[in-house]
Amino acid sequence: PVTAGVDIRQLAFYVAFLRTIRDVLVVGARYDYYDPNADFFDARGGKLIPTKRTIQTISPVIGAQLGARTRLLFQYDFVSDHLARDTVGVPTDLRNNRWTLRLQVEL
């Protein structure tokens, strides 16, 4: 906000759950939301138009508990944002969904 010269209203939150079933299967999900500037305006055709710059992610996860201190998790992130532009210059969803394979070890 200091470098922008104006007050910027930001909003961010997430909700998640993770469950271990029968000490072997791990399932869960996460939803997160981030709005870096709720008052953002985009210049299109010489006019300022209120535009959302929010990023929302839904991330289901499934995995296996490999012993008492190790687990292997597989996660897919469905990312919804409007940070890209189409051929006309209108904000559109950026293609940035991603897979994550994570090995967690407690020492």
Side-chain angles (χ1 to χ4, degrees):
V2 175
T3 59
V6 296
D7 288 335
I8 295 177
R9 294 184 305 138
Q10 299 178 9
L11 175 64
F13 67 90
Y14 78 94
V15 178
F17 78 92
L18 192 65
R19 177 80 178 180
T20 303
I21 301 170
R22 296 187 185 249
D23 294 329
V24 176
L25 181 64
V26 179
V27 295
R30 176 179 50 95
Y31 171 77
D32 63 61
Y33 177 92
Y34 175 59
D35 186 355
N37 186 353
D39 300 319
F40 184 75
F41 286 90
D42 190 21
R44 278 190 259 152
K47 296 182 181 179
L48 291 177
I49 300 170
T51 305
K52 289 187 176 189
R53 299 196 62 161
T54 59
I55 301 170
Q56 300 176 57
T57 308
I58 298 173
S59 302
V61 63
I62 189 165
Q65 187 77 29
L66 307 171
R69 297 180 176 209
T70 307
R71 61 177 138 179
L72 182 65
L73 301 171
F74 177 71
Q75 173 180 322
Y76 188 76
D77 295 335
F78 297 95
V79 181
S80 173
D81 58 24
H82 294 88
L83 302 178
R85 303 274 180 171
D86 64 10
T87 57
V88 184
V90 177
T92 187
D93 188 25
L94 182 64
R95 298 183 63 156
N96 56 351
N97 295 347
R98 63 187 161 264
W99 299 94
T100 304
L101 182 62
R102 180 179 303 123
L103 178 65
Q104 295 178 324
V105 178
E106 181 181 330
L107 300 176

